[in-house]
């Protein structure tokens, strides 16, 4: 549903309430993602991974008020028109929005969409695990949402977005690009950005060699996956922005496609590696959720099962590609989000109820291809720019010492009865000089 | 005096402890250890990547005893720890120069 349609609707308390609850559910996905990723990291950099996700809630919330919402969705509510590429700059700082008729609907919509803008850059963090400077990561989030996410969200969902209106131009509205909740704008977008960024940044030292790189806390991974799954009902069903038949169908398909994807991933693992892994079950769930995201409102439950099965099996295979092609997508953002996003976005071209067929597939492929090309190029440029100026990677010594100590001055866990290396005499008020020191220059106990 | 060190399978720890108590040993120090000898580790699979985990979890216990007891004590540990399968561990002893009980200041065999 476009923002214009949102405004045309009467403000109904049920819909506003539903959208705000959905927004809260999508909000929990970012910490959920942090746990999902954090558990897969070595102990010494686990907090860093959690923080790479969590800080997105800080940065993007601020940018959203300043200009993000206006750039992504402004043309649905104001005079300005960015020609299908961006929204406008009419609502910088949000003041003018509060005076509109139906501002309750608009504010709920803005809150809901903010959560998507927070989650999408956080998804990329998994690919860059354990080897980037935290300050550079924050610069990356700022540049990436500004130059990539806000425009691409406009293309796909904005009132005048060129992908959103592509079907009108090509097929007089007989067919429209289907991306209900973010196959292109969120998952293909984050997945291809992750690929571009890891190609610029390079591999962790020890990639493919160091056997300590296995997940440190799989129960936490499963907990994170469960929080993501829960929140995803808000993400998917909430994207209807109202309570109706589509909302229920989307919620239902979100459940069953995900269940099917777990079965698919586990079957693949059992046949190929001989074990049903917990990480596989968690990963299969995410793959299914990703794939049903663009498609769930347009397929019947059997179609949802088909999408879930393909996503589970193909993503289980795709995560091994990085070892063959030799790129360190640490937590498989490419294998799960890019591949899963493509599966859902392309399959719905054929499986969509009523409109499925070659015309629909062409539209889907054009939308996916445009995001692939644009996001890959712009993300690579951003990553190169950061690398050339402030530097993107932490040093090898910092990577070996663990980024928790280097960038956050903390340890994630303390299970030692003796308090580990901290003695009572060692606890003092943090001196001003250490608090302001450049973390990069601190002594590292490697 | 002798220091006896045993590295054994963790699940045999209870049997070893019971046998030592029956023998009359009053104290010991136990730590979690990891390592390998002839027994090698196992393989774990995470998203299609196989990791060889070659350090196997073991339990390490240390006991101070008088010279005359050492041989018998080692025998007790070996019998209680044995499963007959690879990875049962090792027991060894080394001479100890001195020992002091911290609370009383007793020295030598009195400190045991």
């Amino acid at each position: 549903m476009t923002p214009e349609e949102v405004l045309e609707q009467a403000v109904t308390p049920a819909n506003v309430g539903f959208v705000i609850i959905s927004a809260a559910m999508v909000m929990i996905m970012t910490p959920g993602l942090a746990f999902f990723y954090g558990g897969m990291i070595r102990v010494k950099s686990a907090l860093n991974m959690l923080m790479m996700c969590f800080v997105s809630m800080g940065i993007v919330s601020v940018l959203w008020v300043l200009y993000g919402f206006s750039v992504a969705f402004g043309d649905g509510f104001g005079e300005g028109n960015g020609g299908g590429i961006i929204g406008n700059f009419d609502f910088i700082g949000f003041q003018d929005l509060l005076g509109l008729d139906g501002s309750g609907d608009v504010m709920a919509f803005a809150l809901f969409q903010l959560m998507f803008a927070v989650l999408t850059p956080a998804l990329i963090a998994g690919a860059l695990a354990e080897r980037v400077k935290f300050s550079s990561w924050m610069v990356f989030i700022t540049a990436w949402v500004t130059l990539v996410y806000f425009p691409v969200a406009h293309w796909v969902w904005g009132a005048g977005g060129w992908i959103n209106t592509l079907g009108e131009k090509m097929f007089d509205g007989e067919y429209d690009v289907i991306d209900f909740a973010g196959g292109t704008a969120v998952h293909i977008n984050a997945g291809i950005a992750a690929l571009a960024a890891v190609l610029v940044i390079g591999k962790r030292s020890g990639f493919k060699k160091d056997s300590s790189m296995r997940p440190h806390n799989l129960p936490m991974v499963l907990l994170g996956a469960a929080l993501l799954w829960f929140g995803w009902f808000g993400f998917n069903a909430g994207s209807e922005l109202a309570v109706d038949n589509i909302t229920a169908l989307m919620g239902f398909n979100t459940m069953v496609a995900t269940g099917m994807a777990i079965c698919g991933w586990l079957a693949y693992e059992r046949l190929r590696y001989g074990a049903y892994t917990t990480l596989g079950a968690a990963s299969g769930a995410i793959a299914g959720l990703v794939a049903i995201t663009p498609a769930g409102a347009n397929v019947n439950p059997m179609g949802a099962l088909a999408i879930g099965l393909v996503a589970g099996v193909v993503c289980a295979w795709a995560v091994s590609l990085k070892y063959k092609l030799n790129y360190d997508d640490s937590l498989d953002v490419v294998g799960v989000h890019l591949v899963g996003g493509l599966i859902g976005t392309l399959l719905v071209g054929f499986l969509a109820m009523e409109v499925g067929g070659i015309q629909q597939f062409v539209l889907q492929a054009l939308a996916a291809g445009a995001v692939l090309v644009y996001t890959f190029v712009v993300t690579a440029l951003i990553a190169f720019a950061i690398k050339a100026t402030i530097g993107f990677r932490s040093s090898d010594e910092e990577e070996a010492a663990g980024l928790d100590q280097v960038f956050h001055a903390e340890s994630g866990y303390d299970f030692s009865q003796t308090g580990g290396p901290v003695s009572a005499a060692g606890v003092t008020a943090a001196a001003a000089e250490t608090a302001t020191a450049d973390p990069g220059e601190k002594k590292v106990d490697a | 005096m002798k220091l006896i060190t045993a590295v054994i399978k963790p699940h045999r720890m209870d049997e070893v402890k019971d046998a030592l108590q029956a023998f009359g040993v009053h104290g010991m120090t136990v730590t979690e250890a990891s390592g390998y000898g002839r027994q090698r580790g196992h393989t774990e699979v995470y998203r299609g990547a196989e990791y060889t985990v070659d350090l196997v979890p073991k339990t390490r216990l240390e006991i101070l005893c008088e010279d005359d007891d050492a041989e018998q004590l080692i025998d007790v540990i070996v019998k209680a720890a044995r499963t007959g399968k690879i990875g049962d561990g090792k027991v060894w002893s080394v001479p100890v120069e001195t020992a002091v009980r911290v609370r009383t200041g007793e020295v030598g065999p009195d400190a045991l």
Side-chain angles (χ1 to χ4, degrees), chain A residues 36 40 211 213-215 273 283 323 331-332, chain B residues 42 44-53:
Chain A
F36 178 68
M40 282 188 252
S211 68
M213 280 183 181
R214 63 198 166 125
Y273 306 109
S283 310
Y323 298 110
L331 307 182
D332 302 307
Chain B
H42 59 280
E44 297 184 358
V45 185
Y46 297 99
R47 280 187 178 164
E50 294 199 343
Y51 292 78
T52 309
V53 181

Coordinates of all heavy atoms in Angstrom, one line a residue, chain A residues 36 40 211 213-215 273 283 323 331-332, chain B residues 42 44-53:
Chain A
F36 N 21.3 -13.2 17.1 CA 21.5 -14.2 16.0 C 22.9 -14.2 15.5 O 23.6 -15.2 15.4 CB 20.5 -13.9 14.9 CG 20.5 -14.9 13.7 CD1 20.2 -16.2 13.9 CD2 20.9 -14.4 12.5 CE1 20.2 -17.1 12.8 CE2 21.0 -15.3 11.4 CZ 20.6 -16.6 11.5
M40 N 27.2 -16.3 16.8 CA 28.0 -17.0 15.7 C 29.5 -16.5 15.8 O 30.3 -17.0 15.0 CB 27.4 -16.8 14.4 CG 26.2 -17.6 14.1 SD 25.7 -17.4 12.3 CE 24.2 -16.5 12.5
S211 N 40.4 -22.8 13.3 CA 39.2 -23.6 13.8 C 38.5 -22.9 15.0 O 37.5 -23.4 15.4 CB 39.6 -25.0 14.1 OG 40.4 -25.0 15.2
M213 N 37.1 -20.2 14.8 CA 36.1 -19.3 14.2 C 34.7 -19.9 14.3 O 33.8 -19.4 13.6 CB 36.4 -18.9 12.8 CG 37.5 -17.8 12.8 SD 37.8 -17.2 11.1 CE 39.1 -16.0 11.5
R214 N 34.5 -21.0 15.0 CA 33.1 -21.5 15.1 C 32.3 -20.7 16.1 O 32.8 -20.0 16.9 CB 33.2 -23.0 15.5 CG 33.8 -23.3 16.8 CD 34.2 -24.7 17.0 NE 35.0 -24.8 18.2 CZ 34.8 -25.6 19.2 NH1 33.8 -26.5 19.2 NH2 35.6 -25.6 20.3
P215 N 31.0 -20.8 16.0 CA 30.1 -20.1 16.8 C 30.3 -20.3 18.3 O 30.6 -21.4 18.7 CB 28.7 -20.6 16.4 CG 28.8 -21.1 15.1 CD 30.2 -21.7 15.0
Y273 N 26.0 -33.6 5.1 CA 27.0 -33.6 6.2 C 26.7 -34.6 7.3 O 27.5 -34.7 8.2 CB 27.1 -32.2 6.8 CG 27.3 -31.1 5.8 CD1 26.4 -30.2 5.4 CD2 28.6 -31.1 5.1 CE1 26.6 -29.2 4.5 CE2 28.8 -30.1 4.2 CZ 27.8 -29.2 3.8 OH 28.1 -28.2 2.9
S283 N 19.2 -21.0 10.7 CA 19.5 -20.4 9.4 C 18.4 -20.6 8.4 O 18.0 -19.8 7.6 CB 20.8 -20.9 8.8 OG 21.8 -20.8 9.7
Y323 N 33.4 -20.4 0.5 CA 34.6 -21.1 0.7 C 35.2 -21.5 -0.7 O 36.4 -21.5 -0.9 CB 34.4 -22.4 1.5 CG 34.0 -22.1 2.9 CD1 32.7 -22.4 3.3 CD2 34.8 -21.5 3.8 CE1 32.2 -22.1 4.6 CE2 34.4 -21.2 5.1 CZ 33.1 -21.5 5.5 OH 32.7 -21.3 6.7
L331 N 29.1 -14.1 8.2 CA 27.9 -14.8 8.8 C 26.8 -15.0 7.7 O 25.6 -15.1 7.9 CB 27.3 -14.0 9.9 CG 28.3 -13.6 11.0 CD1 27.6 -12.9 12.2 CD2 29.0 -14.9 11.6
D332 N 27.3 -15.1 6.4 CA 26.4 -15.5 5.3 C 25.2 -14.5 5.0 O 24.1 -15.0 4.8 CB 25.9 -16.9 5.5 CG 27.1 -17.9 5.7 OD1 27.9 -17.9 4.8 OD2 27.1 -18.6 6.7
Chain B
H42 N 37.3 -34.5 17.4 CA 36.2 -34.8 16.5 C 35.9 -33.7 15.5 O 36.6 -32.6 15.6 CB 34.9 -35.0 17.4 CG 34.6 -33.8 18.2 ND1 35.2 -33.5 19.4 CD2 33.7 -32.9 18.0 CE1 34.7 -32.4 19.9 NE2 33.8 -32.0 19.0
E44 N 33.2 -30.9 13.8 CA 31.9 -30.3 14.0 C 31.6 -29.6 12.6 O 32.5 -29.1 11.9 CB 32.0 -29.3 15.1 CG 32.2 -29.9 16.5 CD 32.2 -29.0 17.6 OE1 32.0 -27.8 17.4 OE2 32.3 -29.5 18.8
V45 N 30.3 -29.4 12.3 CA 29.9 -28.8 11.1 C 29.0 -27.6 11.4 O 28.0 -27.7 12.1 CB 29.0 -29.8 10.2 CG1 28.7 -29.2 8.9 CG2 29.8 -31.1 10.0
Y46 N 29.5 -26.4 10.9 CA 28.7 -25.2 11.0 C 28.4 -24.6 9.6 O 29.4 -24.2 9.0 CB 29.4 -24.2 11.9 CG 29.6 -24.7 13.3 CD1 30.8 -25.2 13.7 CD2 28.6 -24.6 14.2 CE1 31.0 -25.7 15.0 CE2 28.8 -25.1 15.5 CZ 30.0 -25.6 15.9 OH 30.1 -26.1 17.1
R47 N 27.2 -24.6 9.2 CA 26.8 -24.1 7.9 C 27.7 -24.7 6.8 O 28.3 -23.9 6.0 CB 26.8 -22.6 7.8 CG 25.6 -22.0 8.4 CD 25.5 -20.5 8.2 NE 24.3 -19.9 8.8 CZ 24.1 -18.6 9.0 NH1 25.1 -17.8 8.8 NH2 23.0 -18.2 9.5
G48 N 28.0 -26.0 6.8 CA 28.7 -26.6 5.7 C 30.2 -26.5 5.9 O 30.9 -27.1 5.1
A49 N 30.7 -25.8 6.9 CA 32.1 -25.7 7.1 C 32.5 -26.7 8.2 O 31.9 -26.7 9.3 CB 32.5 -24.3 7.5
E50 N 33.5 -27.6 7.9 CA 33.9 -28.6 8.9 C 35.0 -28.1 9.7 O 36.0 -27.6 9.2 CB 34.3 -29.9 8.2 CG 33.1 -30.6 7.5 CD 33.3 -32.0 7.2 OE1 34.5 -32.4 7.2 OE2 32.3 -32.7 7.0
Y51 N 34.9 -28.2 11.0 CA 35.9 -27.7 12.0 C 36.5 -28.9 12.7 O 35.7 -29.7 13.3 CB 35.4 -26.7 13.0 CG 35.0 -25.4 12.4 CD1 33.8 -25.3 11.8 CD2 35.8 -24.3 12.5 CE1 33.4 -24.0 11.2 CE2 35.4 -23.1 12.0 CZ 34.2 -22.9 11.4 OH 33.9 -21.7 10.8
T52 N 37.8 -29.1 12.7 CA 38.4 -30.2 13.4 C 38.7 -29.7 14.8 O 39.4 -28.8 15.0 CB 39.7 -30.7 12.8 OG1 39.4 -31.0 11.4 CG2 40.2 -32.0 13.4
V53 N 38.0 -30.3 15.8 CA 38.3 -29.9 17.2 C 39.2 -31.0 17.8 O 38.8 -32.1 18.1 CB 36.9 -29.9 18.0 CG1 37.2 -29.5 19.4 CG2 36.0 -28.9 17.3

